[in-house]
């Protein structure tokens, strides 16, 4: 019972909760920009995802990792982690789908790419968590006991 309670109150559980919330904010904003403001697809999705990233940064800094690291020294690390995780995760999963396509030519390519998106998303989530915990919001010289 204590292990379940510890897992549910851990920084990883808070990270997943923040991820759900910032996805909701970013997606809602993208749809609002596209459908209500009639902005084009790229501007709508970029602006929506930017809002989601701002929400993610703020909540992960204050709620998930309870970091005292300054905004000036952490915002660019946050951006580096997000962009790196995006490139590595979705690049690897795309390569995996391409390799699977050559080994299993009878499987539809769109199924393999859908599986790649799912795998890439899992890698992206785990990579972001580790990157933000140990790079973006890390407090040097002392562990933050509140962030466990």
């Amino acid at each position: 019972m204590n292990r379940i309670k510890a897992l549910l109150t851990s920084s990883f559980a808070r990270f997943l909760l923040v991820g759900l919330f910032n996805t909701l904010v970013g997606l809602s904003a993208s749809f609002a920009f596209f459908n209500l403001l009639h902005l084009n697809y790229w501007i709508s999705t970029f602006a929506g995802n930017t809002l989601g990233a701002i929400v993610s940064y703020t909540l992960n800094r204050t709620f998930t990792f309870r970091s005292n690291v300054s905004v000036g020294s952490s915002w660019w690390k946050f951006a580096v982690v997000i962009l790196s995780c995006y490139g590595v995760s979705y690049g690897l999963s795309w390569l995996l789908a391409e390799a699977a396509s050559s080994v299993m030519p009878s499987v539809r390519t769109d199924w393999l790419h859908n599986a790649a998106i799912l795998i890439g998303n899992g890698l992206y989530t785990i990579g972001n968590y580790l990157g933000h915990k140990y790079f973006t919001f890390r407090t040097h010289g002392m562990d933050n006991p509140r962030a466990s």
Side-chain angles (χ1 to χ4, degrees):
M1 188 67 170
N2 286 338
R3 286 186 153 201
I4 294 172
K5 183 179 178 183
L7 180 64
L8 292 175
T9 58
S10 70
S11 62
F12 188 67
R14 291 191 303 263
F15 181 79
L16 292 177
L17 187 63
V18 166
L20 286 175
F21 184 70
N22 71 44
T23 299
L24 185 65
V25 168
L27 198 56
S28 298
S30 294
F31 283 129
F33 292 140
F34 188 73
N35 293 302
L36 300 177
L37 300 179
H38 304 290
L39 300 176
N40 76 30
Y41 171 83
W42 292 111
I43 292 173
S44 298
T45 55
F46 183 79
N49 281 299
T50 300
L51 281 176
I54 291 168
V55 169
S56 175
Y57 171 82
T58 303
L59 291 178
N60 279 318
R61 182 174 180 269
T62 58
F63 175 68
T64 304
F65 299 110
R66 298 174 181 162
S67 175
N68 294 324
V69 174
S70 72
V71 172
S73 69
S74 61
W75 73 266
W76 63 270
K77 292 178 181 176
F78 187 84
V80 166
V81 167
I82 285 178
L83 294 173
S84 299
C85 287
Y86 176 80
V88 170
S89 300
Y90 288 102
L92 284 176
S93 62
W94 183 81
L95 289 174
L96 182 63
E98 293 299 311
S101 177
S102 65
V103 174
M104 301 178 291
S106 61
V107 177
R108 291 176 39 180
T109 305
D110 60 333
W111 289 8
L112 293 173
H113 286 147
N114 278 303
I117 290 171
L118 189 61
I119 291 168
N121 188 272
L123 293 172
Y124 179 78
T125 300
I126 293 167
N128 264 294
Y129 174 75
L130 295 173
H132 295 316
K133 181 169 182 156
Y134 295 110
F135 179 63
T136 306
F137 299 116
R138 180 177 178 205
T139 303
H140 294 282
M142 59 189 236
D143 289 332
N144 185 351
R146 298 179 336 165
S148 64

